[in-house]
Amino acid sequence: MKKIRIQEEFCIGCRLCEINCLVKHSYSGKIIKAFREESPRALPRIRVEEEGYLSFALQCRHCEDAPCVENCMSGAMQRDRETGTVFCDEERCVGCWMCIMSCPLGVIKREQKTRRIASKCDLCGGEGEPVCVAQCPNEALLYE
Amino acid sequence: MRDPFRIPSGCAVSGILNLDGKPVSGTHIIRSIEVMHERSNGLGGGFAAYGIYPRYADLYAFHVLYDDPLRKQDVETILKQRFSVEHSEEIPCRKTDVIKEWPLFMRYFLRYLGEEENEDDEVVQVVMEVNSSIHGAYIVSSGKNMGIFKGVGYPEDIGRLFRLEEYRGYCWIAHGRFPTNSVGWWGGAHPFGLLSWSVVHNGEISSYGINRRYLQNFGYLCNLQTDTEVIAYLVDLLVRKHRVHIDYLGAILASPFWEQIERMDAQKKHFFSSIRTIYGGALLNGPFSIIVGFPGGMFGMVDRIKLRPMLAAWKNKTFFLSSEECAIREISPDLDRLVALKAGEVISGRVGERNNYGQKLAVSGV
Amino acid sequence: MAKSLLFPEFKIDRDKERCISCQVCVRQCANDVHEGSDNEDTVLSQEENCVGCQRCVNLCPTNALTVHKREGGFRPNGNWSEQHLRGIYKQAESGGILLTGMGCDRSYPIYWDHLLLNASQVTNPSIDPLREPIELTSYLGRKEEKLDIDWSGEFPLVQTRLAPQLELKVPVVFSAMSYGSISYNAFRSLAEAAREVGTFCNSGEGGLHPDFYPYGDNIVVQVASGRFGVHRDYLRVAAAVEIKIGQGAKPGIGGHLPGEKVTKEISRTRKIPEESDAISPAPHHDIYSIEDLERLVFAIKEAINYKKPVAVKIAAVHNVAAIASGVVRAGADIVTIDGIRGGTGAAPQVIRDNVGIPIELALAQVDERLRSEGIRHHSSLLIAGGIRSSADVIKAIALGADAVYVGTAALVGLGCHLCQKCYTGKCNWGIATQDPVLTKRLNPNIGKRRLVNLIRAWSFEIKEMLGGMGVNAIESLRGNREHLRAVGLSKEECAVLGVKAAGEGW
């Protein structure tokens, strides 16, 4: 399965990945609307970690042995058999946060939609290059 | 009137060489070039003939054109500084229906007075001096046992004007010119000669600017502003001074492409890449086919992508070069062999040598 | 401190309708121009810090930002330009020399823009580069006057041993930019691109980082007055050695890399202590005359066993033709001439803008002088200083250059926006900086790709132009001024350039 590879030596800490991820997962998919008109504002599923001059963008690694899938009591958190992507079926998520507690990387967030659900990187649906990779101005993220 | 500009022109060229060195009359070459009448436009024609002055074979035969007969004195003064004039006369001409007026043509048979070893260089200097400094006089040819006859008109008419049927030479080269302007100057016609070289040329040299400056480095002054002049000087420099073998002139003047050189074996690769590295300024670019006459032979060459026509043919002991096949068939309907020159190829013939039949050294597939 | 009389040079327009307060601009500006307010929904800007580098504009995801020259600051005055007034205010406040970066930005005539190229019509067929080969390969180095060839065998044997040559697939070389003046990533981009397209980059005077030794076959190393990082391996690993006498942006003066830029890696490369100033003296203190240059040229040739060409770089000054002739006679295999528009990482503005002559004139004169002295083939001519496009390249070659150096054009290819603040070390594009926050902004994989694209694109254009002229090998255009014509130049300028006026035939 293709994964997002992080080249932290080229991450410039601009956080455009976060912004583009948010837009991608917003209702409108349009940047100005997503930020200024949609409420609650969508959450980015990628996060730039920084210390000193080092930075890198972290998102779900779609672990082979994913504890979030293991620990999900409703079966919402699951792996797509074809693509291998770990994703959350929002219909079935009950917001128990077992996934958040078991994730070793802390990349699952609580998101307020009609109700509170777990939100995480879905590799933009698994079709083509995820938006964080495609829009990174310095090619610090690779999808391979 | 000296033509101040370099004039692009399309042309017809033809050459006949008897490989036994037997002299033939000028009738044949006139017939050959006449067939290609349509390739010239009546603004220039000329001939070079080798072996025509056996009586004075050791002497420099200078053909001098005087637009202004009053300059005769000046030229002769210069000539007498370095040479003794063994014989001089007006070149006999006949009035024809077509050419009724012509400038004065003189020929001088000269014995060089100085040291033998720089004889040729001295001759070159005299030619350059006269041609660049004396307005109204122009040295048309300066070789031994050869001469150039040229003027404004169709080549066949020029041939008749100069009564070439009365001369007998073992090698004849002819040129019919199609210049793109209307300026008619008798000295601007071809062949172009220096020492015993004579060059006829169909084409335009787009590398002219750098070839001219390259030659300047070696003391050649191109004052005529013609492409042909540049070719003649390059041939003189490379063959006479740098001792380049005539059959390999194409390696310099129309060198193979780097991608062809890449594919050669080590020895050839070294040869061609050294040549291209050192002689870049001598590469002739643009379309051309040329015939160059020299004592004892002639060679033909075409540019590196063959943009102008040239054929070589052999029949018994005669070697032909021409822009068009018809010009050869006119004199010799049956041929032993006929080939079209390949891009960058040199095909030569020499009196007393076996026919090389060409294409042995051709690099290009064009 | 007394109030400064300066006011911001740039105006930043933030479209409130479009700004989403994402803070990208805040995070990208090394000059602290943008600042998020306490109330997270707005971003404020400190215009006085802005250098107009356009980094924030480029990265703003909503195109909410415009940075433009602030209009109407000074009362219009034909004599007292804004540049003069700003200079006076700055100097009255600082008491120092005004520093700047990149090349001269004054509007002196640019002769490239007054030269036009030829093309074939009717009498000479033009050549289509898509169908026929057109050759750009060039060799730099001393050329023999003639070859001695043994014609007696089956195939001729060249007996002359050729002087060492640099083989260029494209007659464009990346000019000297030291690691120190530019970042590691910028240098890596240049070195990798040079290798990919078959040309060379130049180490500049700052030594060669060990990581770049494997690229030695595509690197020209420089020996300048500071002799930083010069040692046997440095000379031997390179494809050629260039002695730098002068630089077009600052003829007659040396260089100064401030200690704060001398990081651990740079100290290792330059062989000087960390954080110490790297000062290149104005002259080489072992070259006070032309015969001293000859000694250095041959000392280097000895060190590299005469296996590689040695170049000498001089700035285009008034007597450049005679100087170049001396340099050729001193044994240089390549003469590099850098014109007044050549770039720099740091130079006094008054020098950059007022000293030297345009490269076009210098090139024309040097080429002509060497030819008239019959020594043109002793050295190749590499020229630098303001080559902006393939048209400039081809015109330079027609004037007589063997190849051209590009510095600024390569940096622009990497993202430089010519803000001329290289000397501050705060290059927002990650090029002229050693700050690790900034240097990682230039991904050398992208940098290499962009440079390779640029040189490829230029070589396609050069081939098109050559083909149009009916020339299928670049050496047939080299020094072929018949293919150039001048427009809008005086007789004297035409004569200096050795070019006829447009409209004149052959």
Side-chain angles (χ1 to χ4, degrees):
Chain A
M1 135 185 215
K2 273 188 165 186
K3 285 194 173 175
I4 294 174
R5 189 156 74 80
I6 302 166
Q7 306 189 88
E8 73 275 11
E9 67 272 35
F10 302 134
C11 174
I12 61 173
C14 64
R15 303 197 168 205
L16 279 168
C17 49
E18 292 182 7
I19 293 159
N20 288 309
C21 182
L22 180 156
V23 174
K24 174 80 184 177
H25 295 95
S26 66
Y27 289 107
S28 64
K30 290 182 175 151
I31 185 165
I32 295 176
K33 267 193 178 166
F35 272 85
R36 300 175 65 130
E37 288 171 13
E38 289 178 18
S39 183
R41 191 187 277 180
L43 281 183
R45 288 132 189 240
I46 185 169
R47 193 175 70 239
V48 175
E49 302 277 354
E50 276 181 291
E51 188 175 312
Y53 65 84
L54 288 175
S55 60
F56 62 91
L58 185 67
Q59 69 297 90
C60 170
R61 306 276 79 207
H62 302 272
C63 314
E64 273 177 31
D65 184 16
C68 55
V69 176
E70 198 92 336
N71 292 322
C72 180
M73 62 177 196
S74 67
M77 199 63 82
Q78 54 188 289
R79 183 182 301 277
D80 185 305
R81 290 223 180 122
E82 274 172 31
T83 64
T85 313
V86 174
F87 70 101
C88 175
D89 181 346
E90 294 181 3
E91 295 295 311
R92 287 159 79 175
C93 178
V94 296
C96 71
W97 313 137
M98 282 304 286
C99 52
I100 294 180
M101 281 190 279
S102 61
C103 176
L105 298 166
V107 290
I108 308 177
K109 285 184 194 162
R110 288 178 283 190
E111 183 166 19
Q112 182 70 50
K113 285 199 172 170
T114 44
R115 56 204 164 82
R116 300 215 290 177
I117 51 149
S119 152
K120 67 175 285 296
C121 169
D122 55 358
L123 291 176
C124 293
E127 284 167 17
E129 230 172 36
V131 70
C132 54
V133 176
Q135 304 281 336
C136 175
N138 207 33
E139 295 179 12
L141 297 174
L142 300 174
Y143 190 53
E144 52 184 35
Chain B
M1 186 193 66
R2 178 83 31 107
D3 180 349
F5 299 117
R6 195 158 61 99
I7 308 301
S9 51
C11 305
V13 295
S14 189
I16 306 173
L17 169 70
N18 185 295
L19 293 163
D20 281 337
K22 281 187 194 151
V24 298
S25 119
T27 328
H28 304 290
I29 191 74
I30 295 177
R31 269 170 58 209
S32 168
I33 198 79
E34 189 167 16
V35 178
M36 297 188 285
H37 184 87
E38 298 300 330
R39 292 186 75 88
S40 44
N41 66 356
L43 291 174
F47 299 83
Y50 288 80
I52 51 172
Y53 300 131
R55 223 181 118 189
Y56 300 104
D58 294 342
L59 306 178
Y60 287 100
F62 275 35
H63 285 192
V64 185
L65 152 71
Y66 292 104
D67 286 317
D68 177 359
L70 296 175
R71 309 318 297 263
K72 214 172 137 217
Q73 194 81 42
D74 303 339
V75 172
E76 287 172 4
T77 311
I78 294 181
L79 293 180
K80 280 173 185 161
Q81 284 166 3
R82 292 181 177 94
F83 303 95
S84 71
V85 180
E86 305 280 303
H87 179 69
S88 72
E89 63 186 353
E90 194 177 331
I91 298 178
C93 294
R94 83 157 75 84
K95 193 169 172 179
T96 65
D97 289 349
V98 197
I99 302 176
K100 300 192 167 66
E101 277 177 38
W102 59 91
L104 171 65
F105 278 95
M106 289 290 295
R107 64 185 158 215
Y108 301 88
F109 294 97
L110 307 168
R111 189 180 301 283
Y112 179 63
L113 296 174
E115 298 285 325
E116 216 169 87
E117 55 198 64
N118 40 20
E119 205 174 321
D120 284 346
D121 286 335
E122 282 288 338
V123 172
V124 172
Q125 257 190 20
V126 171
V127 173
M128 300 252 164
E129 188 183 332
V130 170
N131 288 356
S132 60
S133 66
I134 301 190
H135 200 78
Y138 176 66
I139 299 177
V140 171
S141 69
S142 51
K144 287 179 178 174
N145 199 8
M146 60 83 68
I148 289 173
F149 306 87
K150 61 183 181 182
V152 175
Y154 282 101
E156 57 271 21
D157 298 328
I158 296 291
R160 281 168 200 135
L161 171 81
F162 283 107
R163 299 158 61 167
L164 294 185
E165 70 281 358
E166 295 169 14
Y167 293 79
R168 292 174 66 79
Y170 62 85
C171 179
W172 290 88
I173 290 168
H175 185 262
R177 195 164 181 232
F178 197 128
T180 49
N181 73 332
S182 57
V183 179
W185 176 53
W186 285 60
H190 300 181
F192 184 85
L194 181 74
L195 293 169
S196 293
W197 300 110
S198 61
V199 181
V200 292
H201 157 231
N202 167 18
E204 181 178 331
I205 306 298
S206 29
S207 55
Y208 174 82
I210 185 55
N211 299 139
R212 190 171 65 88
R213 298 181 81 207
Y214 176 78
L215 284 163
Q216 251 166 29
N217 221 359
F218 296 96
Y220 292 87
L221 302 176
C222 303
N223 39 37
L224 264 184
Q225 302 258 314
T226 80
D227 296 350
T228 317
E229 181 185 31
V230 156
I231 299 171
Y233 294 167
L234 281 173
V235 171
D236 182 55
L237 171 75
L238 296 172
V239 177
R240 189 168 63 83
K241 293 201 164 163
H242 292 187
R243 306 261 163 233
V244 174
H245 194 289
I246 282 176
D247 291 347
Y248 285 93
L249 270 178
I252 296 174
L253 300 179
S255 22
F257 287 88
W258 285 111
E259 56 182 60
Q260 294 172 313
I261 296 174
E262 257 335 284
R263 292 195 294 266
M264 294 175 180
D265 63 45
Q267 192 188 5
K268 283 191 175 175
K269 197 167 166 179
H270 181 241
F271 172 74
F272 283 105
S273 61
S274 303
I275 289 246
R276 286 204 65 182
T277 308
I278 299 301
Y279 287 109
L283 173 67
L284 292 172
N285 223 306
F288 66 83
S289 58
I290 56 176
I291 301 175
V292 178
F294 53 90
M298 67 174 183
F299 72 84
M301 184 173 91
V302 290
D303 64 80
R304 60 202 308 245
I305 49 174
K306 186 147 190 192
L307 294 167
R308 291 286 156 94
M310 168 84 66
L311 297 107
W314 293 263
K315 174 67 185 175
N316 294 331
K317 284 296 181 181
T318 310
F319 169 49
F320 303 91
L321 287 166
S322 178
S323 303
E324 292 184 21
E325 189 178 334
C326 60
I328 301 174
R329 299 264 184 207
E330 170 68 20
I331 358 177
S332 179
D334 291 321
L335 295 168
D336 296 340
R337 183 175 158 86
L338 174 83
V339 295
L341 271 73
K342 293 188 172 186
E345 190 190 12
V346 170
I347 295 188
S348 64
R350 289 182 193 77
V351 172
E353 277 184 19
R354 290 182 52 212
N355 292 345
N356 79 25
Y357 280 154
Q359 323 244 300
K360 193 180 73 169
L361 299 170
V363 175
S364 149
V366 181
Chain C
M1 201 172 83
K3 167 118 179 59
S4 168
L5 300 185
L6 288 163
F7 50 81
E9 214 175 331
F10 295 95
K11 182 160 181 353
I12 298 168
D13 282 337
R14 182 180 295 277
D15 186 340
K16 296 270 187 239
E17 296 281 298
R18 303 193 66 83
C19 179
I20 55 171
S21 304
C22 67
Q23 322 266 327
V24 168
C25 49
V26 177
R27 287 188 284 270
Q28 286 300 299
C29 185
N31 300 304
D32 299 326
V33 170
H34 305 290
E35 197 182 353
S37 67
D38 296 338
N39 162 13
E40 272 217 349
D41 277 350
T42 52
V43 177
L44 308 170
S45 301
Q46 302 258 344
E47 290 183 337
E48 56 270 37
N49 294 342
C50 180
V51 299
C53 79
Q54 310 287 339
R55 176 79 183 178
C56 54
V57 174
N58 179 265
L59 282 177
C60 174
T62 59
N63 294 322
L65 284 172
T66 320
V67 172
H68 43 89
K69 189 96 182 105
R70 200 177 134 131
E71 293 298 330
F74 293 100
R75 193 180 183 287
N77 187 315
N79 187 29
W80 294 92
S81 69
E82 175 171 345
Q83 197 175 24
H84 287 113
L85 295 171
R86 279 190 180 277
I88 290 175
Y89 290 141
K90 273 189 209 163
Q91 292 187 303
E93 284 161 23
S94 70
I97 288 174
L98 296 173
L99 283 181
T100 186
M102 304 312 289
C104 171
D105 60 3
R106 297 283 185 91
S107 56
Y108 298 125
I110 296 170
Y111 290 97
W112 305 130
D113 297 341
H114 292 271
L115 293 172
L116 300 174
L117 293 161
N118 191 29
S120 301
Q121 295 290 298
V122 186
T123 59
N124 182 344
S126 37
I127 304 167
D128 185 344
L130 296 176
R131 294 180 176 82
E132 310 261 5
I134 295 202
E135 303 183 308
L136 302 185
T137 302
S138 310
Y139 284 87
L140 301 186
R142 180 194 169 88
K143 310 287 189 295
E144 310 307 322
E145 188 173 290
K146 62 180 278 242
L147 286 178
D148 287 323
I149 300 172
D150 177 4
W151 300 99
S152 60
E154 170 81 1
F155 193 82
L157 210 65
V158 176
Q159 293 178 316
T160 308
R161 243 181 84 190
L162 264 60
Q165 306 284 326
L166 289 185
E167 185 194 336
L168 272 63
K169 295 281 183 213
V170 196
V172 180
V173 183
F174 298 127
S175 56
M177 289 175 280
S178 68
Y179 171 41
S181 75
I182 59 170
S183 65
Y184 178 95
N185 284 347
F187 194 84
R188 174 170 287 275
S189 306
L190 291 163
E192 291 196 7
R195 180 148 85 179
E196 175 89 14
V197 299
T199 183
F200 298 85
C201 69
N202 188 312
S203 72
E205 58 170 306
L208 191 63
H209 191 280
D211 289 2
F212 299 126
Y213 275 54
Y215 295 87
D217 288 345
N218 294 89
I219 292 179
V220 176
V221 295
Q222 227 179 32
V223 174
S225 60
R227 304 284 155 88
F228 298 115
V230 176
H231 49 89
R232 194 190 62 181
D233 294 346
Y234 171 77
L235 298 175
R236 290 193 178 173
V237 75
V241 180
E242 182 175 82
I243 299 171
K244 177 196 169 183
I245 301 292
Q247 188 176 342
K250 41 180 175 177
I253 68 166
H256 180 180
L257 186 73
E260 49 272 28
K261 284 197 189 172
V262 182
T263 61
K264 189 171 159 219
E265 290 302 312
I266 288 174
S267 115
R268 191 174 151 210
T269 306
R270 297 204 173 204
K271 314 285 180 202
I272 52 171
E274 256 180 79
E275 289 178 25
S276 64
D277 288 7
I279 296 175
S280 297
H284 286 244
H285 282 301
D286 53 358
I287 302 178
Y288 283 2
S289 172
I290 190 85
E291 64 270 19
D292 297 338
L293 173 68
E294 184 174 26
R295 245 179 259 173
L296 181 60
V297 168
F298 281 93
I300 290 172
K301 286 189 175 183
E302 285 287 334
I304 55 178
N305 291 331
Y306 296 85
K307 283 193 178 139
K308 287 149 187 183
V310 171
V312 173
K313 177 177 180 177
I314 54 172
V317 290
H318 300 178
N319 199 23
V320 65
I323 298 166
S325 163
V327 167
V328 172
R329 290 167 198 282
D333 301 306
I334 300 167
V335 181
T336 304
I337 304 166
D338 192 5
I340 190 171
R341 289 186 303 270
T344 177
Q349 187 175 316
V350 67
I351 304 265
R352 185 196 73 173
D353 292 349
N354 296 286
V355 181
I357 61 171
I359 190 61
E360 303 91 320
L361 304 177
L363 162 63
Q365 283 297 298
V366 169
D367 179 60
E368 187 53 39
R369 177 69 164 258
L370 298 182
R371 280 181 197 279
S372 70
E373 294 183 6
I375 54 171
R376 178 63 180 83
H377 56 285
H378 289 200
S379 292
S380 292
L381 270 183
L382 243 176
I383 63 114
I387 298 288
R388 304 156 300 169
S389 66
S390 60
D392 293 355
V393 176
I394 200 165
K395 289 171 188 175
I397 285 172
L399 270 183
D402 285 280
V404 304
Y405 264 133
V406 292
T408 304
L411 296 190
V412 170
L414 289 176
C416 169
H417 280 59
L418 288 174
C419 73
Q420 310 190 15
K421 292 291 186 289
C422 329
Y423 63 97
T424 63
K426 288 196 204 165
C427 175
N428 269 323
W429 295 91
I431 299 167
T433 176
Q434 303 304 326
D435 180 342
V437 176
L438 302 175
T439 56
K440 63 179 178 173
R441 292 183 182 178
L442 179 58
N443 178 341
N445 302 325
I446 302 176
K448 170 195 172 183
R449 190 190 315 142
R450 294 181 65 92
L451 291 172
V452 169
N453 283 341
L454 177 70
I455 300 298
R456 286 238 164 96
W458 282 16
S459 69
F460 290 146
E461 290 179 337
I462 291 171
K463 286 180 181 182
E464 289 285 349
M465 289 184 277
L466 280 179
M469 285 183 255
V471 169
N472 56 17
I474 189 109
E475 59 259 45
S476 294
L477 185 73
R478 188 164 288 130
N480 191 345
R481 299 183 190 174
E482 288 294 336
H483 283 298
L484 290 176
R485 287 294 183 269
V487 274
L489 295 182
S490 69
K491 254 191 170 161
E492 288 79 9
E493 288 167 314
C494 287
V496 169
L497 288 166
V499 169
K500 292 179 187 140
E504 282 186 67
W506 277 333

